[in-house]
Amino acid sequence: GRVGYQMTRGRIIGFRGDDVFVELSGDDAKNQGIVSLRQFDCPPEEGAVMDFVVERYDPAEGLMVLSREGAVQQAAWENLDRGSTVEARCTGSNKGGLELVLAGSIKAFMPASQIDLGHTDDLTVYHGQKLQAVVEEVRRKPKQLVLSRRKLLEAERESKREQLVTELAVGQTREGTVS
């Protein structure tokens, strides 16, 4: 992959078609950037502050060309700890689970039991997908992470449950599923 990512923080200032305009922090004269809307899982809100990777400077436009790809993880290898939430792309699978990569080059593995809340028969549905997960284990040799998406899903389910409990009131009618 590419070497020497330059990270920068920026604030979303506008949109035009598929382009997202970013005001970069720092005292550089080239303080505006552009990034494709396709780099976001969901469209960002104007004013949101996030990290980007600087790809190159475009003199014709007078803009820095930015990327979100891997920016979430650029707090690279040394900063990855057990419990960190990361975004990784599934590159394949084997009978034990999913093979993933994050920040462009860090290899990761997700055991089949940690992919979802229930059992997953067909692991190929995850191929090419970006998954949010929690770092379970950092193996320094070989450089590999062990990830769990299940832990994240369990925490999400728990917070939804707590929210529901605070919203429930006597006399309400709710729809439910018998399990």
Side-chain angles (χ1 to χ4, degrees):
R2 284 164 305 187
V3 185
Y5 284 107
Q6 184 194 339
M7 283 299 292
T8 186
R9 182 154 283 184
R11 192 165 51 82
I12 307 293
I13 54 170
F15 304 91
R16 189 175 69 217
D18 191 37
D19 295 329
V20 180
F21 291 89
V22 181
E23 182 179 74
L24 303 173
S25 31
D27 33 44
D28 192 352
K30 308 170 189 127
N31 63 352
Q32 277 215 346
I34 190 167
V35 61
S36 167
L37 191 56
R38 287 191 295 269
Q39 296 253 330
F40 298 88
D41 292 330
C42 53
E45 285 182 38
E46 204 163 312
V49 173
M50 38 188 66
D51 290 326
F52 297 92
V53 173
V54 177
E55 295 284 335
R56 60 185 158 75
Y57 177 66
D58 182 345
E61 297 285 336
L63 294 167
M64 300 300 266
V65 177
L66 307 173
S67 164
R68 283 281 295 152
E69 193 74 19
V72 181
Q73 270 66 47
Q74 279 310 316
W77 183 250
E78 284 69 35
N79 298 337
L80 286 169
D81 288 316
R82 210 188 139 140
S84 305
T85 301
V86 297
E87 186 180 72
R89 188 199 332 269
C90 178
T91 55
S93 56
N94 56 42
K95 63 180 187 295
L98 300 179
E99 295 157 1
L100 305 110
V101 67
L102 59 122
S105 61
I106 299 173
K107 289 188 181 344
F109 176 72
M110 189 181 299
S113 64
Q114 297 301 313
I115 297 169
D116 213 331
L117 295 169
H119 178 70
T120 310
D121 279 325
D122 181 14
L123 300 184
T124 61
V125 298
Y126 295 103
H127 289 188
Q129 278 195 38
K130 282 185 182 171
L131 304 173
Q132 295 277 325
V134 174
V135 175
E136 282 286 284
E137 194 185 324
V138 178
R139 295 179 182 160
R140 301 289 172 196
K141 285 186 166 69
K143 264 192 177 178
Q144 188 186 45
L145 299 174
V146 178
L147 305 178
S148 169
R149 181 166 166 258
R150 182 183 184 135
K151 283 235 165 48
L152 218 56
L153 296 172
E154 284 170 352
E156 218 170 77
R157 182 171 67 182
E158 190 52 41
S159 78
K160 281 183 184 158
R161 186 180 290 145
E162 285 167 15
Q163 186 184 350
L164 177 65
V165 168
T166 62
E167 292 170 0
L168 286 176
V170 175
Q172 275 182 344
T173 305
R174 292 280 180 144
E175 216 170 279
T177 307
V178 178
S179 54

